[in-house]
Amino acid sequence: MRTATPPPVAPAGDHHDLAVVLFAVIVLVTLGITFWAGRRRGGGADDFYAGGRDFTPLQNGFALSGDYLSAASFLGVAGLIALFGYDGVLYSIGFLVAWLVVLMLVAELVRNAGRYTLADVLALRLRRRKVRAAAGGASVVVTLFYLVAQMVGAGSLVALLLGTNSAEARTWTIVAVGGLMIVYVTVGGMRATTWIQIVKAFLLVAGSVLLTVLLLVRFHGDVAELMRQAAQHSGAGQRYLEPGLKYGKSFTSRLDFFSLGLALVLGTAGLPHILSRFYTVPTARAARRSTMWAIGLVGGFYLMAIALGLGATALVGSAEVRHANAAGNTAVPLLALVLGGGNGSTGGVVLFAVISAIAFATILAVVAGLTLASSAAFAHDIWAGAWRGRPRRSRGGRGVRGSRGRRALVPASRRARGGADAATGTATAELTEDGAPVTTERQEVLVARIAAVGIGAVAIVLSLFAQQLNVAFLVGLAFAVAASANLPVLLYSLFWRRFTPRGAVWSVYGGLIPAVVLVAFSPVVSGTKVALFPGVDFHWFPLENPGLVSIPLGFLAGWIGTLTSPEPADPDRYAELEVRSLTGAGAA
């Protein structure tokens, strides 16, 4: 049986050209899809946010798995397994189990009850601006955490490709990825984002299958030998194959792992870019079938990710993986280099370049979906729904006068959409219940595009400070915030008859604020060598992931807010939500 090959390094010299060409091809293909979709796209919000709702369950299943299988999956999870063995495998299990929660609790109900975002589900029975603002703000925060993880992964990948650890190379990569994701969203909307995800998911699964087959051939199908070689070259011996290498050193680390697992299992059902995928199919049944396709694709991928992580340790060695990137984010490309023939070989360089290009495509696709979700949350929920207000929607999607809007006469100088009154000579404009003019879909889509630019800029700046953190770990923080702020209010709204608007606002902020504050004062930000600010120490919260504390606080705050609410829940609105979520009657 073959043992570990000499330590690999990134391809050098003329071999850079092939990898750079493949990266350029990926960028050109994704831009081509974007401009093709942009020409097909209409000007309405339905097309920009939901891609026209005409994707099939299979297409949406690939897109869902594409959204979910991010840089954290392809680079971060395999890197954790390469460095920490059994504990890294446990991490991957949390990602997979989370889909059972999505399938059983939210997929069909969210598709029936909402329109574009999580806040739409809440607004069906909790028609308050504060509820929309809270849910929209939480969605923006979650997607920002997730965006930072993807862009950090892009920086690590390209730095390895160029054979350099310079901060300048990573910085320019992050800026370039940020610029591309802004173009994807502003030009192509959801239709382009979905097709990019489909292509990326196919490439990712195909690349993982290729590496896994080559790895098993290398060990003649003997998985036991693969594990023995991984333990031998891990630097930890048999402990590599046992729990506790990363999370078992102390009681605090065990709590940290439990907190992380809780966030991963519960967080997926609260991720804005995952929830928005359910609106791209025509029916709730299609949403459920999409989820089942996604579970199959995600499950198969994580089985391969486990093998690839073990293979990176066995053939590259944990020390070399850590030397190339302290967080292990480059384990899979290094493994590809070895499986292709090693340093200096044409096969090694080709396979390294192909896998690196696939990983880059993974990052580009996911950041596009995240940027679209965050811009939709800002434009649709915060700007149009909370600040400006909007009328109720009819079944066909057109604004109608309802409980949230009224017709009013306004001077001609304030003429708004809605036409003119022939008898008085004044213009009629639709106003919200607070007296604010409602927005048009064209205005809302314009704001969403502007928001994509702003959110992209913020994500770039934050990513520059987080370049040394493992991307899978960063995603764990995003899951914790989603599980703390979004999941409690979603479950309460769908299943608790007595839930009130105050309970919704308290639930969102009661989970969001503790999660963000605990992260700010955790070892992730200060007090350790791999923290965001390694030179200072102001942390007082011992856990790296806040989910163990912040998730229960989100549920508790919603319960207390409901019990202390001065107004009772509206039974008619809950009945409307219940009928619509279960039957689809009146769904968009």
Side-chain angles (χ1 to χ4, degrees):
M1 184 60 57
R2 303 184 72 171
T3 57
T5 59
V9 294
D14 295 337
H15 291 154
H16 281 307
D17 297 341
L18 176 60
V20 171
V21 166
L22 288 176
F23 272 49
V25 169
I26 291 293
V27 172
L28 291 176
V29 169
T30 54
L31 286 176
I33 292 173
T34 299
F35 288 106
W36 166 77
R39 288 196 301 269
R40 293 186 60 194
R41 180 176 55 79
D46 216 48
D47 202 274
F48 184 81
Y49 293 138
R53 307 185 197 276
D54 57 1
F55 289 96
T56 67
L58 177 59
Q59 291 171 339
N60 198 46
F62 267 89
L64 271 170
S65 61
D67 257 326
Y68 196 67
L69 298 177
S70 61
S73 302
F74 195 51
L75 302 178
V77 169
L80 283 176
I81 295 171
L83 297 180
F84 303 109
Y86 187 91
D87 284 8
V89 173
L90 291 179
Y91 194 105
S92 66
I93 292 174
F95 277 119
L96 178 58
V97 172
W99 278 95
L100 299 179
V101 179
V102 176
L103 178 64
M104 293 187 296
L105 294 180
V106 303
E108 291 184 79
L109 302 182
V110 166
R111 173 60 186 84
N112 283 336
R115 184 171 181 83
Y116 304 127
T117 64
L118 167 66
D120 286 337
V121 180
L122 308 181
L124 188 60
R125 63 172 294 201
L126 307 171
R127 293 165 186 166
R128 295 290 187 277
R129 289 188 174 198
K130 291 181 179 180
V131 174
R132 272 197 177 273
S139 295
V140 171
V141 172
V142 171
T143 50
L144 274 176
F145 271 106
Y146 221 130
L147 272 173
V148 169
Q150 308 312 310
M151 297 170 74
V152 167
S156 299
L157 181 68
V158 175
L160 175 70
L161 171 69
L162 299 177
T164 176
N165 286 322
S166 70
E168 184 178 358
R170 293 194 297 268
T171 297
W172 282 110
T173 299
I174 289 171
V175 172
V177 170
L180 285 170
M181 73 184 185
I182 291 171
V183 172
Y184 295 149
V185 173
T186 56
V187 175
M190 178 60 85
R191 190 179 299 277
T193 301
T194 301
W195 279 111
I196 291 172
Q197 292 289 11
I198 292 171
V199 172
K200 163 256 173 145
F202 176 80
L203 291 176
L204 182 60
V205 172
S208 300
V209 170
L210 174 62
L211 286 183
T212 303
V213 170
L214 290 176
L215 179 64
L216 294 177
V217 169
R218 185 71 167 258
F219 286 89
H220 305 294
D222 191 344
V223 178
E225 180 62 22
L226 169 62
M227 297 174 67
R228 283 192 292 269
Q229 289 289 331
Q232 181 180 340
H233 295 94
S234 67
Q238 190 63 26
R239 291 190 301 121
Y240 177 83
L241 301 177
E242 299 172 352
L245 189 59
K246 178 175 175 61
Y247 297 109
K249 297 178 181 179
S250 65
F251 179 72
T252 299
S253 65
R254 294 188 184 96
L255 280 181
D256 214 349
F257 178 72
F258 181 77
S259 181
L260 174 63
L262 191 65
L264 294 179
V265 171
L266 299 180
T268 301
L271 291 175
H273 67 298
I274 296 297
L275 295 177
S276 65
R277 282 266 155 236
F278 298 133
Y279 303 123
T280 63
V281 291
T283 64
R285 183 172 181 267
R288 185 175 185 85
R289 291 175 61 194
S290 299
T291 306
M292 295 175 68
W293 275 109
I295 289 175
L297 292 168
V298 170
F301 172 83
Y302 278 120
L303 287 176
M304 292 184 287
I306 293 172
L308 297 181
L310 292 172
T313 308
L315 299 178
V316 180
S318 293
E320 292 303 322
V321 170
R322 187 176 283 107
H323 176 73
N325 181 269
N329 294 331
T330 55
V332 173
L334 289 175
L335 174 63
L337 181 61
V338 173
L339 291 175
N343 297 334
S345 67
T346 302
V349 172
V350 170
L351 193 56
F352 174 90
V354 169
I355 296 303
S356 296
I358 291 174
F360 192 61
T362 296
I363 293 168
L364 292 179
V366 173
V367 296
L370 290 166
T371 306
L372 180 61
S374 57
S375 63
F378 179 85
H380 183 66
D381 298 330
I382 298 176
W383 185 77
W387 183 47
R388 292 290 297 272
R390 65 171 37 252
R392 291 185 65 184
R393 298 279 186 175
S394 66
R395 293 184 185 182
R398 297 180 179 177
V400 296
R401 292 189 299 272
S403 62
R404 297 198 59 208
R406 58 183 174 85
R407 302 294 290 187
L409 298 180
V410 296
S413 60
R414 295 178 57 198
R415 189 177 301 271
R417 293 177 63 90
D421 186 285
T424 63
T426 58
T428 59
E430 189 154 15
L431 305 179
T432 69
E433 60 188 1
D434 297 324
V438 300
T439 61
T440 65
E441 287 191 352
R442 188 176 298 275
Q443 291 173 327
E444 184 181 314
V445 171
L446 176 62
V447 170
R449 292 195 177 103
I450 297 173
V453 177
I455 291 168
V458 173
I460 290 172
V461 173
L462 292 177
S463 301
L464 297 178
F465 288 97
Q467 295 182 44
Q468 295 304 315
L469 295 180
N470 181 278
V471 292
F473 172 74
L474 285 171
V475 167
L477 297 181
F479 275 65
V481 177
S484 304
N486 290 347
L487 184 64
V489 70
L490 177 60
L491 295 183
Y492 277 148
S493 182
L494 289 173
F495 300 111
W496 191 15
R497 186 180 300 272
R498 295 179 55 192
F499 197 46
T500 63
R502 172 185 279 188
V505 174
W506 283 30
S507 181
V508 172
Y509 291 128
L512 176 65
I513 294 175
V516 174
V517 169
L518 292 178
V519 168
F521 292 98
S522 72
V524 176
V525 176
S526 68
T528 64
K529 295 181 180 179
V530 294
L532 291 179
F533 305 105
V536 295
D537 186 2
F538 51 83
H539 88 280
W540 49 262
F541 183 65
L543 305 182
E544 293 182 345
N545 192 288
L548 185 62
V549 176
S550 59
I551 295 174
L553 286 178
F555 282 98
L556 180 62
W559 180 70
I560 294 175
T562 296
L563 294 184
T564 60
S565 179
E567 57 178 328
D570 188 328
D572 293 336
R573 289 178 178 175
Y574 179 76
E576 178 186 359
L577 170 66
E578 189 174 36
V579 171
R580 178 163 158 178
S581 63
L582 293 176
T583 67

